[in-house]
Amino acid sequence: MEPVQIGSRFKSVATSYEDVIFTPAQNVNGAVVRTATMISPSGNGFISTGTTMPTGRWMTNVPVILSAVNGSSTLPFPVTIPAGQGLWVAMTQNGGGTAYVTYDLLP
Protein backbone atom coordinates (compact mmCIF):
# COMPACT_ATOMS: atom_id res chain seq x y z
CA MET A 1 0.00 0.00 0.00
CA GLU A 2 1.27 3.45 -0.92
CA PRO A 3 1.48 6.13 1.78
CA VAL A 4 -1.17 8.87 1.76
CA GLN A 5 0.11 12.42 1.40
CA ILE A 6 -0.84 14.59 4.36
CA GLY A 7 -2.34 17.99 3.53
CA SER A 8 -0.30 21.16 3.95
CA ARG A 9 -3.17 22.71 5.93
CA PHE A 10 -4.97 21.22 8.91
CA LYS A 11 -7.85 21.92 11.24
CA SER A 12 -8.64 20.17 14.49
CA VAL A 13 -12.20 20.83 15.61
CA ALA A 14 -13.72 20.14 18.99
CA THR A 15 -17.22 21.53 18.82
CA SER A 16 -20.76 21.07 19.99
CA TYR A 17 -22.37 22.61 16.91
CA GLU A 18 -21.08 23.56 13.46
CA ASP A 19 -17.61 24.76 12.54
CA VAL A 20 -15.86 25.88 9.35
CA ILE A 21 -12.85 24.09 7.91
CA PHE A 22 -12.77 26.32 4.81
CA THR A 23 -15.37 28.53 3.14
CA PRO A 24 -16.48 28.59 -0.50
CA ALA A 25 -14.71 31.96 -0.88
CA GLN A 26 -11.41 30.42 0.30
CA ASN A 27 -11.78 27.52 -2.17
CA VAL A 28 -11.06 29.38 -5.40
CA ASN A 29 -9.49 26.57 -7.47
CA GLY A 30 -10.68 23.42 -5.73
CA ALA A 31 -9.39 21.52 -2.72
CA VAL A 32 -8.30 18.03 -1.75
CA VAL A 33 -9.18 16.57 1.64
CA ARG A 34 -6.16 14.34 2.25
CA THR A 35 -6.99 12.83 5.66
CA ALA A 36 -9.94 13.08 8.02
CA THR A 37 -10.84 11.34 11.26
CA MET A 38 -13.97 11.98 13.26
CA ILE A 39 -14.82 10.91 16.80
CA SER A 40 -18.37 11.24 18.06
CA PRO A 41 -18.63 9.39 21.39
CA SER A 42 -22.20 10.47 22.04
CA GLY A 43 -24.57 10.99 19.13
CA ASN A 44 -23.63 11.69 15.55
CA GLY A 45 -21.59 14.11 13.50
CA PHE A 46 -20.47 14.64 9.94
CA ILE A 47 -18.08 16.49 7.67
CA SER A 48 -19.87 17.94 4.67
CA THR A 49 -19.22 20.08 1.62
CA GLY A 50 -21.36 22.37 -0.48
CA THR A 51 -22.05 26.03 -1.15
CA THR A 52 -23.70 26.74 2.21
CA MET A 53 -22.88 25.72 5.77
CA PRO A 54 -25.23 23.12 7.28
CA THR A 55 -27.45 24.43 10.05
CA GLY A 56 -27.23 21.24 12.10
CA ARG A 57 -26.17 17.63 12.20
CA TRP A 58 -29.67 16.46 11.22
CA MET A 59 -29.31 17.94 7.71
CA THR A 60 -30.01 15.34 5.03
CA ASN A 61 -29.66 17.55 1.96
CA VAL A 62 -25.90 18.24 2.18
CA PRO A 63 -23.08 16.20 0.59
CA VAL A 64 -21.51 14.29 3.50
CA ILE A 65 -17.97 12.97 2.99
CA LEU A 66 -17.52 11.41 6.46
CA SER A 67 -19.82 10.64 9.37
CA ALA A 68 -19.54 9.04 12.79
CA VAL A 69 -22.28 7.73 15.07
CA ASN A 70 -21.38 6.83 18.67
CA GLY A 71 -17.81 6.03 17.68
CA SER A 72 -15.12 7.03 15.21
CA SER A 73 -14.53 6.87 11.48
CA THR A 74 -11.68 7.67 9.11
CA LEU A 75 -11.86 8.86 5.52
CA PRO A 76 -10.63 5.86 3.46
CA PHE A 77 -9.20 7.90 0.56
CA PRO A 78 -8.57 11.55 -0.45
CA VAL A 79 -11.59 13.50 -1.72
CA THR A 80 -11.57 16.36 -4.24
CA ILE A 81 -13.86 19.30 -3.43
CA PRO A 82 -14.88 21.50 -6.41
CA ALA A 83 -14.03 25.20 -6.45
CA GLY A 84 -16.63 27.38 -4.76
CA GLN A 85 -17.61 24.79 -2.16
CA GLY A 86 -16.77 24.91 1.53
CA LEU A 87 -16.05 22.19 4.08
CA TRP A 88 -17.81 22.04 7.45
CA VAL A 89 -18.13 19.92 10.57
CA ALA A 90 -21.46 19.43 12.37
CA MET A 91 -21.72 17.52 15.68
CA THR A 92 -24.09 16.64 18.47
CA GLN A 93 -24.58 19.37 21.06
CA ASN A 94 -22.38 18.65 24.10
CA GLY A 95 -21.43 15.29 22.60
CA GLY A 96 -17.69 15.72 23.05
CA GLY A 97 -16.97 15.13 19.36
CA THR A 98 -13.78 16.01 17.53
CA ALA A 99 -12.66 16.08 13.91
CA TYR A 100 -9.14 16.17 12.50
CA VAL A 101 -8.74 17.17 8.85
CA THR A 102 -5.73 17.80 6.60
CA TYR A 103 -6.28 19.37 3.20
CA ASP A 104 -4.76 21.35 0.34
CA LEU A 105 -6.33 24.30 -1.43
CA LEU A 106 -5.30 23.89 -5.07
CA PRO A 107 -3.24 26.65 -6.73
Side-chain angles (χ1 to χ4, degrees):
M1 176 186 234
E2 292 296 315
V4 174
Q5 176 182 340
I6 192 168
S8 61
R9 298 172 182 249
F10 69 91
K11 178 114 184 204
S12 298
V13 176
T15 184
S16 293
Y17 298 104
E18 296 78 42
D19 203 349
V20 177
I21 297 174
F22 57 80
T23 67
Q26 293 171 310
N27 183 10
V28 177
N29 297 313
V32 179
V33 178
R34 303 285 182 185
T35 64
T37 299
M38 181 169 232
I39 303 164
S40 184
S42 173
N44 70 317
F46 62 75
I47 299 173
S48 68
T49 187
T51 55
T52 58
M53 184 173 179
T55 56
R57 63 178 171 76
W58 56 86
M59 300 287 295
T60 58
N61 62 343
V62 295
V64 173
I65 66 166
L66 183 65
S67 66
V69 179
N70 296 326
S72 65
S73 64
T74 300
L75 191 68
F77 44 78
V79 175
T80 301
I81 307 296
Q85 294 193 12
L87 194 68
W88 297 280
V89 175
M91 292 191 203
T92 302
Q93 181 178 1
N94 301 320
T98 52
Y100 307 96
V101 179
T102 69
Y103 63 96
D104 290 307
L105 295 174
L106 300 176

